[in-house]
Amino acid sequence: MEKIYDLIIVGAGAAGLSAAIYGARANLSTAVIDSKNIFGGQMLNTPEIDNYPGLPSMSGFELSEKFYSHASKYNVDFFEEKAEKLRCEKDIKSIICKSGSILKGKTVIIASGGVHRKLGVPGEERLLGKGVGYCASCDGALFREKEVFVAGGGDTAFVYAIYLSRICSRVHLIHRRDKFRAAESYVARLRNMKNADIITNEIIKSINGNEKVESITVMSGSAEKEYPADGIFIAIGVEPDKSLYEEILDTDPAGFIIAKEDCKTSVEGIFAAGDVRSKYFRQISTAVGDGACAAHSAELYLER
């Protein structure tokens, strides 16, 4: 007889692992599915996390390990699979995986986060892995004693630039505006780095090079400029991977799932948590809160 879980969680980042802990503690048979063999989601891409209460100055990898270790204490089944399709049949939801396997559950929490947003400029795709990157903690060591750029104006961009300044000979953070979404503490820290600078009001037009990144071209006002570069890390946010749910759930214009604070979506028994949810503020702490709320809502749904 095939197993039907009380709760299936798609995504093993902060929201998904938080939901797994709350679901398992509520005695719900719980499965977590994620395509990566290292669980942690976007946390894994963060060199240093300094705003999660009680755990200051911790790497994203270390925090991910703590979350996963905590969830693993309970009777949670983890699957390394790519969820490709969500199907609803009466009271049972099915997750069809890329491998062909199917997980069935009475409730589903979608906590699949997002994918890195692209600049969409010439050279970006062609030079991916040849100087173009989206994860400084993953690839920063490849640029030791080299000159790199970081594109973006949020927390992630500044954290990347601060981290890279310890490795690279020179780091330039470039942003198309003169105002930042990043916390002022990050901005101040980067300004105090001797081998880092901040370039504002310039828009990247292309990433240049043959076999590897050699320079970037920008527009500064009406003038075009070219900067030599060994690499560039793009940190301009994430967008949802909506292929799993876009034909089933209500979303906002950007494709994020519409769900209120109880994390209920437009379909009974399906909940959304973390970065994939249409929300005002995306942080690890808010994702953890979403995971707890979504699991609690799933528990109440099952009780009814």
Side-chain angles (χ1 to χ4, degrees):
M1 184 177 178
E2 67 178 341
K3 182 168 186 176
I4 297 178
Y5 289 94
D6 292 324
L7 172 62
I8 297 174
I9 301 163
V10 180
L17 293 174
S18 172
I21 292 166
Y22 275 81
R25 284 174 56 86
N27 272 337
L28 306 182
S29 58
T30 302
V32 176
I33 177 171
D34 196 291
S35 60
K36 302 177 183 66
N37 61 359
I38 302 177
F39 299 132
Q42 291 292 329
M43 284 189 290
L44 292 168
N45 299 333
T46 308
E48 182 182 79
I49 295 168
D50 199 36
N51 58 1
Y52 193 76
L55 298 170
S57 300
M58 180 170 288
S59 75
F61 181 82
E62 290 174 310
L63 189 56
S64 298
E65 283 280 287
K66 286 185 177 293
F67 279 32
Y68 175 65
S69 176
H70 191 169
S72 298
K73 287 174 54 180
Y74 303 103
N75 189 25
V76 177
D77 292 338
F78 288 91
F79 296 90
E80 185 189 338
E81 293 270 14
K82 167 65 175 172
E84 289 205 323
K85 188 173 182 181
L86 171 61
R87 190 168 63 209
C88 300
E89 298 170 343
K90 296 183 179 179
D91 294 329
I92 301 300
K93 284 77 177 170
S94 298
I95 302 292
I96 296 91
C97 303
K98 186 175 182 179
S99 67
S101 62
I102 300 175
L103 270 68
K104 293 190 174 184
K106 298 173 186 176
T107 63
V108 170
I109 295 174
I110 300 175
S112 51
V115 295
H116 295 291
R117 187 172 286 130
K118 308 293 193 298
L119 284 171
V121 300
E124 181 178 11
E125 294 288 343
R126 181 174 58 84
L127 294 169
L128 179 62
K130 300 174 182 178
V132 173
Y134 298 90
C135 174
S137 57
C138 308
D139 303 324
L142 300 173
F143 297 89
R144 191 172 298 278
E145 298 303 320
K146 294 185 177 181
E147 186 170 5
V148 300
F149 281 74
V150 176
D155 283 352
T156 299
F158 276 86
V159 168
Y160 279 8
I162 291 165
Y163 170 73
L164 290 166
S165 70
R166 302 168 188 155
I167 298 171
C168 303
S169 61
R170 190 78 190 169
V171 178
H172 312 272
L173 184 139
I174 185 166
H175 188 45
R176 60 182 179 175
R177 294 187 288 269
D178 59 0
K179 297 189 182 301
F180 307 109
R181 301 185 311 278
E184 183 55 40
S185 58
Y186 287 141
V187 178
R189 281 178 66 185
L190 188 62
R191 290 193 192 279
N192 288 329
M193 297 285 184
K194 293 182 179 179
N195 64 332
D197 64 284
I198 299 172
I199 302 169
T200 58
N201 295 317
E202 295 190 0
I203 300 170
I204 298 171
K205 302 302 290 183
S206 68
I207 302 170
N208 315 310
N210 293 316
E211 298 301 316
K212 62 183 183 68
V213 171
E214 297 171 2
S215 68
I216 64 169
T217 300
V218 306
M219 288 299 295
S220 179
S222 59
E224 194 173 272
K225 297 166 64 174
E226 187 170 349
Y227 294 108
D230 295 304
I232 179 169
F233 287 91
I234 298 162
I236 56 173
V238 297
E239 54 192 10
D241 181 359
K242 56 189 177 182
S243 57
L244 178 68
Y245 58 77
E246 64 180 338
E247 296 178 0
I248 297 174
L249 303 179
D250 290 346
T251 64
D252 67 14
F256 293 96
I257 299 171
I258 295 173
K260 295 183 179 179
E261 289 303 306
D262 57 11
C263 295
K264 293 179 182 178
T265 70
S266 55
V267 174
E268 284 284 308
I270 300 178
F271 309 88
D275 287 357
V276 76
R277 185 169 78 88
S278 181
K279 58 195 296 186
Y280 168 67
F281 196 42
R282 291 181 171 86
Q283 294 283 290
I284 294 172
S285 55
T286 63
V288 168
D290 276 3
C293 286
H296 182 62
S297 291
E299 180 188 4
L300 295 178
Y301 171 83
L302 291 169
E303 285 179 358
R304 288 196 299 271

